[in-house]
Amino acid sequence: MPESKASLPANASQDTSLCGVVEDYFLHWFDRVDQARATQPKWMVPVVTIPPTLQELFRFDTFFQTLPNGTNLTNLGGGRTLQLVPWDTLEVDLGYPPYLTRSPSSPKAPDGWGDTTFQVKYRLVSSTELEGNYVVSADLGFTAPTADERANSVAHGHAVYTPGVLFGKGWGEIFDIQANLLVSVPDGGPASKLFLYNVVFQGHVAKVLWPELELNGTYWIDGSLEGKHQLFLTPGIVLARFTIFDRLQFGIGAGYQIALTSHPLTNHNWILTLRLPF
């Protein structure tokens, strides 16, 4: 099904001046958001996997990770973002840096801020549950080197670009599969190129329950870990969408990552996620 373009209400402003065009654009912002949602499935955003659907929400995640030496690493914010839909086929994610803490703490690895991520997603094709029940999108992520390198062991003071393809297929309103394939490419330094893949099998029960099972994989293309592979099995659940006021909704979820491959960088990781769609 081809994408339909967002149309403005019949009483839309006809002011063609620059100020009028800008004012009209923001006055009808939510019309475009509603159009985007009306032309795609209503799947839930998974705990880890980037979804192919367009989403307008604020998200805050917390990761509780265990390093190989037994240190507990807490990632407050998870690098998640404010996600906006400025057009009915486009999503722009504005990141904020996560804050990293370790227990026990160490002078060699103090607490500090992590890198900041941004993302642009373009929905190529989509269809609702009443039609084909699928979505395919292109994605480009950008990581800005804002981290304190002592606090974040994977920070190397260089930008990272992450292009990828996102896709999903649903069956009715009770089950869907969402997946993505991504390549992470740093613009210099010792950081490795990575191949990333994620698959989520998601159910929908009793209107507000979204149980899921994810596979989250990383393959190191080069660098000190060249040829290594890390794969997590992540069972999880999301409870949503609860209306707070008018358009504002609330959702909460959790997941637990278990390493399926030997010598993972982290293991037995808890993930808590908070979402506020609007």
mmCIF file of all heavy atoms in Angstrom, residues 204-209 240:
data_model
loop_
_atom_site.group_PDB
_atom_site.id
_atom_site.type_symbol
_atom_site.label_atom_id
_atom_site.label_comp_id
_atom_site.label_asym_id
_atom_site.label_seq_id
_atom_site.Cartn_x
_atom_site.Cartn_y
_atom_site.Cartn_z
ATOM 1 N N HIS A 204 0.187 -9.645 22.054
ATOM 2 C CA HIS A 204 -0.694 -8.605 22.582
ATOM 3 C C HIS A 204 -1.847 -9.296 23.302
ATOM 4 O O HIS A 204 -2.630 -10.022 22.681
ATOM 5 C CB HIS A 204 -1.216 -7.728 21.445
ATOM 6 C CG HIS A 204 -2.010 -6.553 21.898
ATOM 7 N ND1 HIS A 204 -2.817 -5.825 21.054
ATOM 8 C CD2 HIS A 204 -2.135 -5.964 23.131
ATOM 9 C CE1 HIS A 204 -3.398 -4.855 21.733
ATOM 10 N NE2 HIS A 204 -3.001 -4.908 22.990
ATOM 11 N N VAL A 205 -1.924 -9.073 24.631
ATOM 12 C CA VAL A 205 -2.886 -9.782 25.467
ATOM 13 C C VAL A 205 -3.662 -8.777 26.315
ATOM 14 O O VAL A 205 -3.070 -7.843 26.889
ATOM 15 C CB VAL A 205 -2.182 -10.801 26.389
ATOM 16 C CG1 VAL A 205 -3.202 -11.560 27.225
ATOM 17 C CG2 VAL A 205 -1.317 -11.757 25.575
ATOM 18 N N ALA A 206 -4.983 -8.956 26.420
ATOM 19 C CA ALA A 206 -5.812 -8.168 27.345
ATOM 20 C C ALA A 206 -5.624 -6.669 27.175
ATOM 21 O O ALA A 206 -5.585 -5.912 28.148
ATOM 22 C CB ALA A 206 -5.504 -8.570 28.791
ATOM 23 N N LYS A 207 -5.471 -6.222 25.936
ATOM 24 C CA LYS A 207 -5.425 -4.810 25.549
ATOM 25 C C LYS A 207 -4.170 -4.072 25.996
ATOM 26 O O LYS A 207 -3.588 -3.313 25.220
ATOM 27 C CB LYS A 207 -6.660 -4.072 26.064
ATOM 28 C CG LYS A 207 -6.825 -2.677 25.459
ATOM 29 C CD LYS A 207 -8.113 -2.019 25.904
ATOM 30 C CE LYS A 207 -8.259 -0.635 25.286
ATOM 31 N NZ LYS A 207 -9.542 0.008 25.681
ATOM 32 N N VAL A 208 -3.698 -4.263 27.245
ATOM 33 C CA VAL A 208 -2.593 -3.442 27.755
ATOM 34 C C VAL A 208 -1.296 -4.223 27.962
ATOM 35 O O VAL A 208 -0.277 -3.642 28.323
ATOM 36 C CB VAL A 208 -2.978 -2.761 29.087
ATOM 37 C CG1 VAL A 208 -4.165 -1.839 28.883
ATOM 38 C CG2 VAL A 208 -3.269 -3.775 30.171
ATOM 39 N N LEU A 209 -1.293 -5.546 27.740
ATOM 40 C CA LEU A 209 -0.104 -6.365 27.975
ATOM 41 C C LEU A 209 0.559 -6.742 26.654
ATOM 42 O O LEU A 209 -0.099 -7.264 25.748
ATOM 43 C CB LEU A 209 -0.466 -7.633 28.752
ATOM 44 C CG LEU A 209 -1.051 -7.454 30.151
ATOM 45 C CD1 LEU A 209 -1.414 -8.802 30.745
ATOM 46 C CD2 LEU A 209 -0.060 -6.717 31.049
ATOM 47 N N ALA A 240 1.002 -0.934 28.462
ATOM 48 C CA ALA A 240 0.669 0.341 27.827
ATOM 49 C C ALA A 240 -0.617 0.124 27.005
ATOM 50 O O ALA A 240 -1.050 -1.013 26.852
ATOM 51 C CB ALA A 240 1.819 0.764 26.912
#
